[in-house]
Amino acid sequence: KMRRDGYILYDDGDVFFTTADDASEEDREKLRPLDDKVRGRLDNILDSIMFRYGGTGIQEAINRAVSSRNPLCVYPVRSVRTLSTHPSDPYEVLTDVVLVRPGTTAKDLARILLGDSAEKMRYVEGPDGRRIGEEDVLTSSTNVVRFVLSSDEA
């Protein structure tokens, strides 16, 4: 909230934040000056959380939660040959990633990414250009996928 309200500059996961009092000239213009009430709140956060625990711990909690699920990274692409993700820009390569649970099938992923359009899916193409069955479980060797819909050209 303090960051959103313009009192501090703070990057998620950092141990410190910057206020107008200790900001560079350029950053000082972006920040609101602190009144005594806000300064007291920030000092309390520094003393009771940041210094004691080395940060809020939110980023670490998110990292641990994700790693405990052992997710599979899946890269949906427009072309498995070039790995491009955008139809008009072939240099946009592997720009999207989806984290899925182990055991996710190609059909499950289609529902996640395509929603109602998943019904139009003709087939899924894997990284080697071969088709992946709808009920095939995605793995690290089939984690680059191209969905071919009934309106697409094969």
Side-chain angles (χ1 to χ4, degrees):
K1 184 171 176 3
M2 296 283 191
R3 178 173 58 181
R4 186 183 68 229
D5 291 345
Y7 287 109
I8 62 171
L9 296 175
Y10 175 73
D11 292 325
D12 294 337
D14 280 357
V15 178
F16 297 103
F17 51 81
T18 303
T19 65
D21 295 343
D22 47 38
S24 67
E25 193 70 34
E26 181 182 326
D27 288 340
R28 191 171 295 133
E29 296 172 8
K30 301 174 192 174
L31 295 170
R32 296 171 60 179
L34 303 178
D35 59 34
D36 289 340
K37 183 177 179 181
V38 171
R39 182 175 279 110
R41 287 181 179 169
L42 289 173
D43 286 343
N44 188 31
I45 291 169
L46 276 174
D47 292 340
S48 62
I49 298 172
M50 304 301 265
F51 290 141
R52 183 175 295 170
Y53 300 108
T56 62
I58 293 171
Q59 189 66 49
E60 180 65 23
I62 291 170
N63 292 346
R64 286 186 182 201
V66 169
S67 67
S68 72
R69 299 298 300 203
N70 196 21
L72 174 68
C73 297
V74 179
Y75 303 91
V77 296
R78 291 227 179 236
S79 168
V80 293
R81 188 177 54 79
T82 64
L83 304 179
S84 66
T85 54
H86 196 273
S88 62
D89 188 355
Y91 298 106
E92 287 196 24
V93 175
L94 297 178
T95 57
D96 301 320
V97 63
V98 180
L99 298 178
V100 297
R101 292 181 176 150
T104 300
T105 65
K107 189 175 188 176
D108 295 336
L109 183 64
R111 279 193 221 110
I112 292 167
L113 294 177
L114 304 173
D116 293 339
S117 296
E119 299 304 319
K120 297 179 182 178
M121 184 177 73
R122 285 180 36 212
Y123 61 91
V124 180
E125 190 176 21
D128 58 1
R130 289 190 263 178
R131 292 184 184 191
I132 299 173
E134 286 185 6
E135 298 303 323
D136 287 353
V137 173
L138 298 171
T139 66
S140 59
S141 61
T142 58
N143 66 342
V144 175
V145 296
R146 173 180 171 240
F147 293 100
V148 178
L149 305 179
S150 57
S151 60
D152 289 348
E153 301 219 2

